[in-house]
Amino acid sequence: MPVAVIAVAAMLVMAAMVLVAAMAPGTWSPGSAPAALPSGQTTARDAAGTPGDLVHRADGGADAAALAALPAPTAPLHTGPALAPADKPALALTEDHHLIADQALRAVMEAYLSDRRNPRRLQQLDEHLRERLPAGAASEAHTLAARYDAYLAAHATLLNAQNFADEPDLQRLTSWQAQRRQLRERMLGPEVTEQWFGTEDAYLEQALEERRQPAPAVTGEEQLRARHLRAVVDAATGRLRR
């Protein structure tokens, strides 16, 4: 066999081996399907249709390992206050893409609305939410954000009127808890109030009960508990800046 023919045959064999190795399992080739998301999850898409933060559906079932392996967005999601990647909680949706008002949503809203000196806080929050949520859910979030912003203003006014500069007595604390609960339910609705503030209210009620029936804190654990309940009361009366 001529030498030239042998050389061509050898080159063809080597090319075939390279092609087989490139198409082996675990490698990527153009046109291959992207990896599927874990069951029970969907992704939010921004107005341009690009994937946004991972959204947990209401039926749950998140795979923590798969979630951690998903790539993070490479572009900023909003033009408002900068949030570190760890501070960007996933926003939850129901299966039919309605908003779920959970603690993650409250955290996102407070990242913007807590800056009361910023006149563009609502606009910046709205832009951020519209980039991360489908249109219908973004509209629901916009409505809730406006109500929450109004609540924060009303809460500050009501709290200042309490004049808690001095140590409040039990009766004033109990009255304040009831007033604040009524304000929340009137402006945010009972469901959002329970979801966002139910745990805080339970801790405050526990702290007030401890004051009604005080017990000496002897052990280190009891002293730690007493300090924690004291901090709960201070937070509720504005004496502790959270």
Side-chain angles (χ1 to χ4, degrees), residues 1-241:
M1 182 178 296
V3 174
V5 174
I6 296 176
V8 170
M11 291 176 63
L12 290 176
V13 171
M14 291 179 63
M17 292 175 63
V18 171
L19 180 61
V20 170
M23 298 299 294
T27 60
W28 179 88
S29 62
S32 61
L37 288 173
S39 62
Q41 297 176 356
T42 184
T43 55
R45 294 181 177 272
D46 60 23
T50 55
D53 294 80
L54 188 73
V55 174
H56 295 260
R57 292 203 336 225
D59 52 357
D63 184 334
L67 177 61
L70 290 175
T74 57
L77 294 176
H78 60 82
T79 57
L83 298 178
D87 295 330
K88 295 177 181 176
L91 299 180
L93 299 175
T94 63
E95 290 186 357
D96 53 354
H97 302 290
H98 287 290
L99 186 70
I100 296 179
D102 57 8
Q103 289 291 339
L105 179 63
R106 178 189 173 191
V108 170
M109 289 189 175
E110 288 187 348
Y112 290 85
L113 301 182
S114 59
D115 185 4
R116 308 305 296 169
R117 297 171 297 179
N118 179 11
R120 297 186 64 246
R121 60 185 179 274
L122 264 176
Q123 179 184 347
Q124 292 173 341
L125 172 59
D126 188 56
E127 292 171 354
H128 174 72
L129 292 172
R130 290 188 184 282
E131 288 175 342
R132 297 182 64 189
L133 293 169
S139 179
E140 295 170 354
H142 172 78
T143 300
L144 181 56
R147 287 160 49 195
Y148 193 39
D149 187 61
Y151 160 77
L152 291 175
H155 177 274
T157 300
L158 187 62
L159 178 59
N160 289 335
Q162 301 297 317
N163 191 23
F164 281 134
D166 298 329
E167 180 68 24
D169 58 35
L170 182 59
Q171 182 176 357
R172 291 182 62 202
L173 286 172
T174 302
S175 175
W176 166 239
Q177 182 188 30
Q179 291 180 54
R180 189 171 61 168
R181 179 82 181 187
Q182 292 170 3
L183 179 69
R184 288 168 173 170
E185 291 184 350
R186 184 173 71 251
M187 301 190 71
L188 302 174
E191 292 185 4
V192 174
T193 296
E194 181 60 31
Q195 179 67 35
W196 284 8
F197 304 105
T199 300
E200 294 179 19
D201 284 346
Y203 274 125
L204 180 56
E205 179 56 39
Q206 187 177 12
L208 297 181
E209 185 60 30
E210 291 282 338
R211 292 199 174 192
R212 294 186 188 100
Q213 300 177 355
V218 179
T219 67
E221 182 178 351
E222 291 171 341
Q223 293 173 357
L224 182 63
R225 170 188 169 86
R227 287 196 297 270
H228 169 70
L229 294 179
R230 171 62 193 222
V232 168
V233 172
D234 288 345
T237 56
R239 297 159 63 87
L240 176 64
R241 296 299 177 185

